[in-house]
């Protein structure tokens, strides 16, 4: 019996945990998803093996790291399916943290963990659920309705969507500056930003941006339908461990624009904005963290120019966009959860 242990802090991790559970069930494995920490005693009592889906942070998630280590120590099959967005702060790292089993979501994450003294067994990329995608495709009208109800006429404007929390590394402040630049170049482009309460503050007074505080509140089919109904999906992030929404945009055939972040190079076929500098931040969260976050900086003007150029190609149904759609769907389809997650699950069988 498989226990997938995650938390309710991050929507993306919850989605990944759900996808792993779905694949496990298809493999005939009894599975339970816990959105909270469980004890080694509970795992042993229930006769379960475990996959921990969590960020590696020696300050925020040390209890999950300890569970991983204790599973190894006391003979419970377990792996920590790990993500991070920078090096770990050495003053918070303890020797026991390296005694667990870690699988990284990208080569970038593997590099950062190993540089921090945490050994990594393997790299297994995230996957995309093609059944969810097909459901979203059949319900694109729901995404169009959401966009229209937000106040954007999908038939008159090029719609650029972004779905992100207001964490600094998600780049919403940068997106606001990008939107200002785009407004100077093309008045027929509108931005739809799905974020949280704090994220709304970045976009006040911008006529070409509609920001909705629905992040984490939308059901999956609607979230994907919104992306699918958009003409372009923009990912303004300064740092990612992987970039799941980027992959999902690809499989929906939506042109995606993002900074040329190290993990996205491992799978993206989208339009990449060059990174011009990398700045390290020890504190980029509203709470204490043990991660030295890497913010990959790009030129706002270049990101804005790319949006305008891609928007014009979309309007004209340019051959470049047609080729992108085909290539993106093919590449993302290869990363179906049914292809990616059996290998992860077999690590603990």
């Amino acid at each position: 019996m498989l226990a997938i242990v995650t938390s309710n802090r991050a929507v993306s991790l919850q989605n990944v945990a759900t996808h792993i559970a779905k694949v496990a069930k298809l493999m005939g494995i009894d599975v339970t998803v816990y959105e909270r920490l469980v004890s080694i005693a509970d795992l042993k009592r229930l006769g379960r093996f475990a996959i921990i889906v969590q960020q590696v942070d020696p300050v925020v998630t040390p209890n999950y790291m300890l569970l991983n280590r204790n599973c190894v120590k006391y003979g419970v099959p377990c792996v920590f399916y790990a993500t991070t967005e920078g090096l770990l702060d050495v003053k918070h790292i303890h020797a026991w943290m390296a005694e667990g089993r870690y699988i990284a979501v990208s080569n970038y994450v593997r590099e950062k963990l190993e540089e921090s003294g945490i050994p990594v067994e393997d790299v297994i990329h995230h996957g995309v659920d093609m059944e969810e995608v097909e459901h979203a495709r059949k319900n694109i009208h729901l995404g169009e309705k959401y966009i229209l109800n937000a106040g954007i006429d999908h038939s008159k404007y090029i719609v650029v969507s972004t779905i992100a929390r207001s964490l600094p590394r998600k780049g919403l402040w940068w997106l606001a500056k990008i939107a200002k630049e785009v407004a100077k170049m093309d008045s027929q482009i509108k931005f739809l930003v799905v974020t949280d309460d704090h994220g709304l503050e970045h976009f006040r007074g911008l006529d070409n941006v509609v920001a909705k505080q629905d992040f984490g509140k939308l059901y999956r089919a609607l979230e994907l339908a919104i992306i699918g109904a958009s003409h372009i999906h923009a990912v303004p992030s300064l740092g990612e461990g992987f970039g799941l929404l980027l992959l999902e945009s690809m499989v929906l055939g939506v042109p995606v624009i993002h900074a040329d972040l190290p993990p996205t190079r491992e799978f993206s076929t989208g339009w990449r904005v060059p990174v011009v500098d990398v700045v390290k931040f020890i504190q980029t969260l509203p709470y204490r963290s043990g991660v030295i976050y890497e913010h990959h900086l790009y030129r706002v003007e270049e990101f804005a120019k790319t949006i305008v150029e891609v928007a014009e190609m979309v309007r004209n149904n340019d051959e470049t966009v047609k080729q992108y759609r085909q290539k993106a769907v093919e590449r993302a389809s290869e990363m179906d959860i049914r292809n990616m997650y059996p290998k992860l699950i077999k690590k603990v069988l």
Side-chain angles (χ1 to χ4, degrees):
M1 296 192 293
L2 173 62
I4 300 176
V5 184
T6 185
S7 73
N8 59 5
R9 295 172 65 98
V11 173
S12 60
L13 294 180
Q14 289 173 294
N15 289 337
V16 169
T18 299
H19 289 161
I20 297 170
K22 182 174 184 176
V23 173
K25 290 176 182 176
L26 290 173
M27 295 171 67
I29 299 169
D30 177 43
V31 58
T32 302
V33 176
Y34 297 91
E35 292 185 353
R36 58 175 175 80
L37 191 68
V38 297
S39 70
I40 182 71
D42 286 338
L43 291 177
K44 289 179 75 70
R45 178 175 56 83
L46 295 170
R48 292 191 178 274
F49 46 99
I51 296 174
I52 300 168
V53 182
Q54 188 57 275
Q55 179 190 25
V56 176
D57 186 322
V59 170
V60 177
T61 62
N63 290 340
Y64 288 87
M65 299 173 75
L66 183 61
L67 175 62
N68 184 31
R69 176 261 197 173
N70 284 345
C71 282
V72 172
K73 185 174 181 179
Y74 297 108
V76 175
C78 175
V79 293
F80 195 123
Y81 190 40
T83 187
T84 188
E85 292 84 31
L87 289 169
L88 307 186
D89 193 341
V90 292
K91 67 176 176 285
H92 298 298
I93 298 176
H94 303 282
W96 60 263
M97 293 178 174
E99 296 172 3
R101 297 178 62 200
Y102 295 87
I103 307 294
V105 305
S106 65
N107 289 304
Y108 168 79
V109 169
R110 179 177 203 157
E111 176 185 327
K112 295 303 152 185
L113 291 182
E114 291 186 340
E115 285 181 22
S116 304
I118 303 295
V120 175
E121 284 187 21
D122 203 352
V123 173
I124 299 175
H125 288 135
H126 286 322
V128 61
D129 186 345
M130 294 302 296
E131 286 186 358
E132 284 185 350
V133 170
E134 286 305 314
H135 185 59
R137 284 189 180 126
K138 293 176 182 177
N139 291 278
I140 288 296
H141 65 281
L142 297 178
E144 293 172 346
K145 182 178 179 181
Y146 182 94
I147 292 169
L148 186 60
N149 288 342
I152 303 176
D153 189 334
H154 186 274
S155 65
K156 294 182 179 179
Y157 295 95
I158 293 292
V159 180
V160 180
S161 62
T162 294
I163 301 176
R165 291 176 66 190
S166 57
L167 297 174
R169 67 179 177 83
K170 291 297 184 180
L172 292 184
W173 181 64
W174 289 65
L175 182 62
K177 295 191 291 181
I178 289 165
K180 289 180 183 178
E181 291 298 317
V182 168
K184 299 173 186 176
M185 295 183 277
D186 191 330
S187 61
Q188 298 305 112
I189 297 176
K190 293 279 189 181
F191 291 78
L192 173 68
V193 183
V194 178
T195 185
D196 51 35
D197 294 352
H198 298 295
L200 298 181
E201 300 172 5
H202 298 295
F203 306 102
R204 299 192 191 283
L206 295 181
D207 294 336
N208 63 337
V209 180
V210 176
K212 304 286 290 182
Q213 56 188 60
D214 287 339
F215 183 85
K217 302 175 184 177
L218 305 176
Y219 57 93
R220 284 289 290 158
L222 178 55
E223 183 178 83
L224 293 174
I226 291 168
I227 295 173
S230 305
H231 297 102
I232 297 170
H233 189 69
V235 181
S237 293
L238 307 174
E240 292 285 349
F242 181 77
L244 187 55
L245 278 177
L246 195 161
L247 179 64
E248 290 169 336
S249 301
M250 287 168 51
V251 80
L252 286 163
V254 177
V256 60
I257 301 170
H258 60 91
D260 190 18
L261 305 178
T264 64
R265 293 175 202 150
E266 299 175 30
F267 65 91
S268 174
T269 59
W271 280 262
R272 306 177 188 180
V273 179
V275 170
V276 296
D277 197 8
V278 180
V279 180
K280 299 183 187 301
F281 290 88
I282 293 179
Q283 188 65 36
T284 69
L285 298 171
Y287 47 83
R288 289 181 66 238
S289 173
V291 177
I292 302 173
Y293 286 89
E294 292 186 344
H295 284 196
H296 299 77
L297 309 184
Y298 50 83
R299 292 188 174 89
V300 166
E301 296 80 8
E302 192 157 4
F303 204 118
K305 181 181 177 183
T306 304
I307 289 177
V308 171
E309 290 174 350
V310 175
E312 189 61 23
M313 286 189 279
V314 170
R315 283 193 192 102
N316 298 326
N317 198 23
D318 188 275
E319 188 63 30
T320 302
V321 172
K322 292 179 183 178
Q323 291 176 3
Y324 161 80
R325 294 188 200 281
Q326 180 178 352
K327 184 178 179 181
V329 172
E330 288 176 355
R331 173 63 180 126
S333 298
E334 293 171 358
M335 299 176 71
D336 188 328
I337 58 173
R338 293 156 188 78
N339 296 333
M340 308 307 292
Y341 292 142
K343 183 179 178 182
L344 175 65
I345 295 165
K346 289 174 182 176
K347 293 284 185 180
V348 292
L349 289 180

